[in-house]
Amino acid sequence: MSKKVVGYIIFFIVLTIGFLIAIFAGTDKWKAKAPIISFVKPFAFTNQDNQPFTEKDMAGKVCAVNFFFTTCKGICPVMNNNLDKVYGDFKNEKDFMIVSNTCDPETDSAAQLRHYADSMKVDTRKWVFLTGRKDSLYFAARNSYLIDDPNNNVGSINDQFLHSQFVALVDKFGNVRGQVYDALKPEDLRLMESNIRALLKETKPPEITTNGTSFAN
């Protein structure tokens, strides 16, 4: 290949790069978008102050969503202590919220959740704790947030128990984004925080890039 041909090739590559920069400079199109993997289905739960809380209360906010129970002695305290660090990093962001759902509503009444929230010393306008019907809570975990396999919904709901360290990230428009994050893994939490920052900057609904299933086992 002659030097002249090589020169033309290099010139074409540089021209193409310059063209792309001219189109995308000043936009967010360079940034990798956390794909949409699900969306939040309608629900009606009760918060720690015995007040109704629905998916509409999450609208316009980036929400980290998990499931736990207050009497857990295993992964839940570790998960929520790790989420407390996320809370500390974003508690001053008006469009951020953590939503913790109980997976043991028979024990975790609104009063029990208030006691737990007080022990965490968090602002419950920024970190909400929810209880409700067990079947509705588990439906949300499996079909909205994808932190558990929907196929686990077998037999009587009374015989089921969900126990997960995974966290879903919901954008301002009710879409579950990116992946499910393992709250016991520092690298997952760092990625989640990075995605939270990106989602907080979004001002319009993202294009649907993925509509897959990403439940955690």
Side-chain angles (χ1 to χ4, degrees):
M1 185 179 296
S2 69
K3 292 182 179 180
K4 187 175 181 179
V5 172
V6 172
Y8 278 128
I9 293 173
I10 293 173
F11 173 77
F12 177 75
I13 292 172
V14 171
L15 188 65
T16 301
I17 292 172
F19 175 73
L20 292 173
I21 291 174
I23 291 177
F24 296 123
T27 74
D28 60 0
K29 294 184 182 296
W30 289 109
K31 301 175 184 177
K33 299 291 188 181
I36 297 171
I37 60 173
S38 183
F39 67 94
V40 180
K41 283 72 173 176
F43 66 83
F45 297 146
T46 302
N47 70 12
Q48 70 287 326
D49 296 318
N50 205 30
Q51 297 299 310
F53 188 99
T54 75
E55 76 285 352
K56 294 178 182 177
D57 293 295
M58 296 169 62
K61 297 185 181 298
V62 176
C63 300
V65 183
N66 74 321
F67 285 74
F68 83 111
F69 57 107
T70 61
T71 57
C72 176
K73 305 298 183 184
I75 61 175
C76 298
V78 179
M79 171 174 58
N80 281 348
N81 283 338
N82 288 342
L83 283 178
D84 191 40
K85 299 171 186 174
V86 178
Y87 165 81
D89 288 341
F90 293 97
K91 65 181 180 181
N92 294 322
E93 292 283 351
K94 65 181 181 64
D95 294 333
F96 177 74
M97 178 188 294
I98 297 177
V99 180
S100 290
N101 303 265
T102 182
C103 43
D104 184 16
E106 291 185 358
T107 300
D108 291 338
S109 62
Q112 176 76 357
L113 292 176
R114 167 45 75 179
H115 178 74
Y116 184 88
D118 289 344
S119 73
M120 292 285 292
K121 296 183 170 67
V122 296
D123 181 352
T124 50
R125 294 171 298 179
K126 304 295 295 182
W127 190 338
V128 180
F129 298 85
L130 302 181
T131 189
R133 285 180 41 160
K134 185 176 180 181
D135 56 350
S136 298
L137 288 159
Y138 282 36
F139 178 88
R142 292 164 175 166
N143 296 279
S144 289
Y145 305 118
L146 307 184
I147 67 168
D148 189 57
D149 188 347
N151 291 326
N152 288 336
N153 185 22
V154 294
S156 170
I157 187 66
N158 296 323
D159 297 329
Q160 299 178 38
F161 197 77
L162 190 155
H163 198 197
S164 173
Q165 74 267 30
F166 293 98
V167 182
L169 195 56
V170 180
D171 67 17
K172 298 175 185 178
F173 314 99
N175 302 301
V176 181
R177 300 286 293 276
Q179 63 180 63
V180 286
Y181 304 85
D182 189 330
L184 306 187
K185 294 182 178 179
E187 61 272 22
D188 272 30
L189 291 170
R190 286 193 295 269
L191 176 60
M192 186 174 74
E193 287 210 2
S194 176
N195 285 338
I196 289 170
R197 292 186 182 94
L199 296 183
L200 284 169
K201 294 177 182 178
E202 291 187 342
T203 58
K204 59 183 180 179
E207 296 179 2
I208 297 177
T209 53
T210 301
N211 192 20
T213 300
S214 184
F215 58 81
N217 291 308

